[in-house]
Short mmCIF file of all heavy atoms in Angstrom, two decimals:
data_model
loop_
_atom_site.label_atom_id
_atom_site.label_comp_id
_atom_site.label_asym_id
_atom_site.label_seq_id
_atom_site.Cartn_x
_atom_site.Cartn_y
_atom_site.Cartn_z
N SER Y 759 -4.64 16.76 16.26
CA SER Y 759 -5.82 16.04 15.91
C SER Y 759 -5.75 15.21 14.68
O SER Y 759 -5.13 15.78 13.73
CB SER Y 759 -7.11 16.82 16.07
OG SER Y 759 -7.13 17.76 15.00
N GLY Y 760 -6.40 14.08 14.59
CA GLY Y 760 -6.19 13.24 13.44
C GLY Y 760 -7.79 12.99 12.97
O GLY Y 760 -8.61 12.82 13.83
N SER Y 761 -7.86 12.88 11.73
CA SER Y 761 -9.21 12.62 11.16
C SER Y 761 -9.17 11.85 9.86
O SER Y 761 -7.99 11.76 9.29
CB SER Y 761 -9.96 13.86 10.93
OG SER Y 761 -9.41 14.71 9.98
N GLY Y 762 -10.23 11.40 9.34
CA GLY Y 762 -10.24 10.83 8.05
C GLY Y 762 -10.97 9.43 7.93
O GLY Y 762 -11.32 8.90 9.10
N SER Y 763 -10.97 8.89 6.85
CA SER Y 763 -11.59 7.51 6.74
C SER Y 763 -11.16 6.92 5.33
O SER Y 763 -10.76 7.71 4.47
CB SER Y 763 -13.03 7.53 6.89
OG SER Y 763 -13.56 8.34 5.79
N GLY Y 764 -11.17 5.59 5.30
CA GLY Y 764 -11.01 4.97 3.95
C GLY Y 764 -9.64 5.06 3.45
O GLY Y 764 -8.72 4.32 3.85
N THR Y 765 -9.45 6.08 2.61
CA THR Y 765 -8.07 6.35 1.95
C THR Y 765 -7.63 7.72 2.11
O THR Y 765 -6.52 8.06 1.71
CB THR Y 765 -8.12 6.06 0.48
OG1 THR Y 765 -9.14 6.96 -0.17
CG2 THR Y 765 -8.60 4.61 0.20
N ALA Y 766 -8.23 8.50 2.85
CA ALA Y 766 -7.90 9.94 3.07
C ALA Y 766 -7.84 10.38 4.50
O ALA Y 766 -8.90 10.19 5.10
CB ALA Y 766 -8.87 10.91 2.25
N PHE Y 767 -6.74 10.87 4.93
CA PHE Y 767 -6.53 11.14 6.37
C PHE Y 767 -5.80 12.50 6.53
O PHE Y 767 -5.16 12.99 5.61
CB PHE Y 767 -5.75 10.13 6.98
CG PHE Y 767 -6.26 8.68 6.77
CD1 PHE Y 767 -6.03 7.94 5.70
CD2 PHE Y 767 -7.33 8.25 7.71
CE1 PHE Y 767 -6.60 6.69 5.59
CE2 PHE Y 767 -8.03 7.06 7.47
CZ PHE Y 767 -7.61 6.24 6.35
N THR Y 768 -6.01 13.16 7.62
CA THR Y 768 -5.45 14.43 7.85
C THR Y 768 -4.99 14.53 9.30
O THR Y 768 -5.57 14.09 10.25
CB THR Y 768 -6.51 15.58 7.65
OG1 THR Y 768 -6.95 15.41 6.34
CG2 THR Y 768 -5.89 16.87 7.90
N LEU Y 769 -3.79 15.11 9.45
CA LEU Y 769 -3.28 15.51 10.81
C LEU Y 769 -3.34 17.06 10.84
O LEU Y 769 -2.79 17.72 9.91
CB LEU Y 769 -1.81 15.08 11.01
CG LEU Y 769 -1.15 15.50 12.29
CD1 LEU Y 769 -1.79 14.79 13.48
CD2 LEU Y 769 0.35 15.21 12.25
N GLU Y 770 -3.93 17.60 11.88
CA GLU Y 770 -4.09 18.97 12.02
C GLU Y 770 -3.36 19.38 13.40
O GLU Y 770 -3.49 18.78 14.34
CB GLU Y 770 -5.46 19.54 12.04
CG GLU Y 770 -6.06 19.13 10.73
CD GLU Y 770 -7.54 19.70 10.59
OE1 GLU Y 770 -8.26 19.61 11.59
OE2 GLU Y 770 -7.89 20.07 9.53
N ILE Y 771 -2.68 20.51 13.27
CA ILE Y 771 -2.07 21.18 14.40
C ILE Y 771 -2.87 22.60 14.54
O ILE Y 771 -2.69 23.31 13.66
CB ILE Y 771 -0.66 21.48 14.39
CG1 ILE Y 771 0.16 20.07 13.98
CG2 ILE Y 771 -0.08 21.94 15.65
CD1 ILE Y 771 1.57 20.35 13.64
N SER Y 772 -3.62 22.72 15.57
CA SER Y 772 -4.55 23.92 15.71
C SER Y 772 -3.64 25.21 15.78
O SER Y 772 -4.05 26.19 15.14
CB SER Y 772 -5.51 23.79 16.86
OG SER Y 772 -4.71 23.57 18.09
N ARG Y 773 -2.57 25.24 16.59
CA ARG Y 773 -1.84 26.44 16.67
C ARG Y 773 -0.36 25.83 16.79
O ARG Y 773 -0.07 25.31 17.87
CB ARG Y 773 -2.21 27.27 18.01
CG ARG Y 773 -3.54 27.78 17.82
CD ARG Y 773 -3.92 28.42 19.28
NE ARG Y 773 -3.76 27.49 20.30
CZ ARG Y 773 -4.60 26.56 20.73
NH1 ARG Y 773 -5.80 26.49 19.97
NH2 ARG Y 773 -4.52 25.74 21.73
#
Side-chain angles (χ1 to χ4, degrees):
Chain Y
S759 63
S761 62
S763 63
T765 62
F767 305 91
T768 302
L769 176 70
E770 294 184 324
I771 310 173
S772 59
R773 295 172 305 280

